[in-house]
Amino acid sequence: MYKVWLLLLVLQDSSFAIQGPDSTAKWSKEGKTLMNGTLGNNTDQVFHPYGLFMDSNNNLYIADSGNNRILKLATDASHGTIVAGFGPNQLTVPTGIAMDKQSNLYILEGPLSSSGRVIRWEKDANVGTVLFYGAEHLSGIVLDEKEEFFYHAESIQDRIIRYTKDGQHNSIVAGNHGQGSALYQLVTPWHVAIDRNHTLYIADSGNNRVLKWVLNTPEGILVAGGNGYGNDTNQLKSPRSLLIDDEMNILYIADTYNDRIVRVAMDDGTVTIIAGGNGQGNAAHQLSHPNGLAFDNQGNLYVSDYENHRIQLFTLEKNSCNYNTSSLLVMYFLIFINILRTIRQNK
């Protein structure tokens, strides 16, 4: 199991997909609160945390939306470090984060009352560069494997947009057909993930479902929810974050208004609650409107617990899953490539 999660060490920096344990994996029933867990603007506090991103060194990046900044939290650290949003008016309600192989951040802003932006923030820079201005309430930014394009949701416009990495050219790739529940329509999409085949997974929040959408096709395929607003395992309530593991064919969903994280084994459709699901609250076994997901290279799950103003860590139970030994050669090759890449970056 541990060796498979080493694959995440080299793959998650691409920000498009993860590779993790199989569908037997279990996590701790109670989360550990990272940082302070109380609303505030000290570096051990967050205020309405949104998107998360984990780099290959297990540094967690947090879109601290209420404090208009991005925090970097190192493993076992009690305080974060501000890496973007150092002063007034630099960031406004950041909701999403992606990172390229050069460790540059792509920050999505999603205010409800004004135009959103995508900002490129180079590593160690004091100020970012606005790539473009978009519609109100942007969310869910992700880069593809080759880092040629990034994708995000325009929630108010009910569509998914693709931009070239420099922000100069865009196209609509899903939705934009008015609100509705047909498979070619979206209602307030909140997040998007992408696999290695450039297939999109869309958190169609207003329809309480997740759609799989192959690029250049006219409609999506239902893979989770879509059975009304409820808390049965075949239902979702306003899902707002996704991670796709296309090696294991597993989808992870922040089922936001059910206050839980669920796993969908897409081979057979089995849905399992892996964190939360114990009612809305602030106890260690509860969540309150989770908005972001990330995994470290040990397979531990991190959740931005939005209304509780905290980041929760759910530890992988080490003996609960299996791994495929045929992946080991690939793993060692990817680790080698990642080491070379790190050496080049540090020269």
Side-chain angles (χ1 to χ4, degrees):
M1 173 280 307
Y2 171 74
K3 294 178 180 178
V4 158
W5 276 96
L6 280 176
L7 282 169
L8 184 58
L9 176 74
V10 293
L11 290 176
Q12 189 157 320
D13 253 354
S14 299
S15 78
F16 62 95
I18 65 166
Q19 182 165 349
D22 62 22
S23 58
T24 66
K26 297 179 181 179
W27 286 262
S28 57
K29 296 183 183 301
E30 295 190 349
K32 175 184 176 182
T33 299
L34 304 182
M35 307 173 74
N36 189 293
T38 59
L39 186 154
N41 61 7
N42 295 326
T43 56
D44 63 344
Q45 297 173 305
V46 288
F47 178 13
H48 284 154
Y50 256 88
L52 301 178
F53 182 89
M54 184 74 68
D55 73 12
S56 60
N57 296 311
N58 280 351
N59 296 307
L60 181 68
Y61 293 79
I62 305 164
D64 187 8
S65 70
N67 286 318
N68 300 313
R69 65 188 183 183
I70 306 298
L71 289 178
K72 174 183 174 183
L73 184 66
T75 303
D76 298 326
S78 59
H79 287 68
T81 302
I82 300 172
V83 294
F86 298 100
N89 304 317
Q90 285 194 323
L91 293 176
T92 304
V93 194
T95 59
I97 320 166
M99 179 184 286
D100 65 20
K101 292 182 177 68
Q102 289 73 46
S103 299
N104 301 311
L105 293 174
Y106 293 79
I107 303 168
L108 192 70
E109 294 182 334
L112 289 172
S113 58
S114 60
S115 296
R117 304 183 295 180
V118 171
I119 297 174
R120 185 176 187 268
W121 204 291
E122 294 187 3
K123 183 181 179 182
D124 300 324
N126 292 318
V127 65
T129 301
V130 178
L131 295 183
F132 66 87
Y133 291 84
E136 297 175 12
H137 204 187
L138 308 181
S139 58
I141 189 168
V142 62
L143 284 165
D144 67 7
E145 181 179 10
K146 294 182 179 180
E147 299 189 349
E148 295 176 328
F149 302 98
F150 59 81
Y151 300 76
H152 69 80
E154 284 191 350
S155 298
I156 300 299
Q157 304 295 331
D158 304 305
R159 63 191 184 188
I160 306 299
I161 304 293
R162 178 178 68 183
Y163 274 85
T164 53
K165 190 180 177 183
D166 60 8
Q168 297 302 304
H169 304 284
N170 68 78
S171 58
I172 299 168
V173 294
N176 202 44
H177 297 292
Q179 291 195 346
S181 59
L183 292 175
Y184 60 86
Q185 294 176 303
L186 302 172
V187 178
T188 321
W190 210 276
H191 200 265
V192 61
I194 187 169
D195 67 18
R196 291 171 179 82
N197 296 316
H198 292 174
T199 297
L200 302 178
Y201 296 81
I202 301 168
D204 188 10
S205 186
N207 279 319
N208 306 299
R209 66 186 182 185
V210 175
L211 295 180
K212 176 180 178 180
W213 202 299
V214 179
L215 283 181
N216 302 315
T217 60
E219 64 182 28
I221 301 166
L222 181 67
V223 294
N227 294 298
Y229 185 83
N231 59 11
D232 289 340
T233 54
N234 68 342
Q235 295 178 304
L236 299 171
K237 283 185 179 180
S238 299
R240 292 191 175 180
S241 188
L242 304 172
L243 286 175
I244 179 65
D245 178 354
D246 55 354
E247 178 71 19
M248 291 292 181
N249 206 21
I250 293 173
L251 180 68
Y252 297 91
I253 306 171
D255 188 6
T256 301
Y257 279 81
N258 274 323
D259 304 300
R260 65 189 185 186
I261 311 302
V262 300
R263 174 183 61 207
V264 181
M266 290 189 290
D267 288 336
D268 60 11
T270 301
V271 179
T272 306
I273 300 170
I274 63 171
N278 299 300
Q280 184 179 6
N282 61 7
H285 68 300
Q286 293 177 306
L287 298 169
S288 183
H289 299 170
N291 261 302
L293 303 174
F295 287 99
D296 65 20
N297 60 28
Q298 302 291 320
N300 302 311
L301 170 65
Y302 297 75
V303 179
S304 58
D305 194 7
Y306 181 81
E307 295 290 357
N308 283 325
H309 310 290
R310 65 186 184 182
I311 308 298
Q312 291 295 90
L313 165 62
F314 295 89
T315 305
L316 179 69
E317 296 180 0
K318 301 298 183 182
N319 297 319
S320 67
C321 57
N322 302 306
Y323 64 89
N324 183 352
T325 56
S326 66
S327 298
L328 293 182
L329 288 177
V330 176
M331 175 194 73
Y332 292 132
F333 173 74
L334 290 173
I335 291 174
F336 175 71
I337 295 299
N338 190 62
I339 291 171
L340 291 179
R341 187 178 72 193
T342 302
I343 290 172
R344 289 198 301 269
Q345 290 175 354
N346 291 333
K347 282 184 178 181

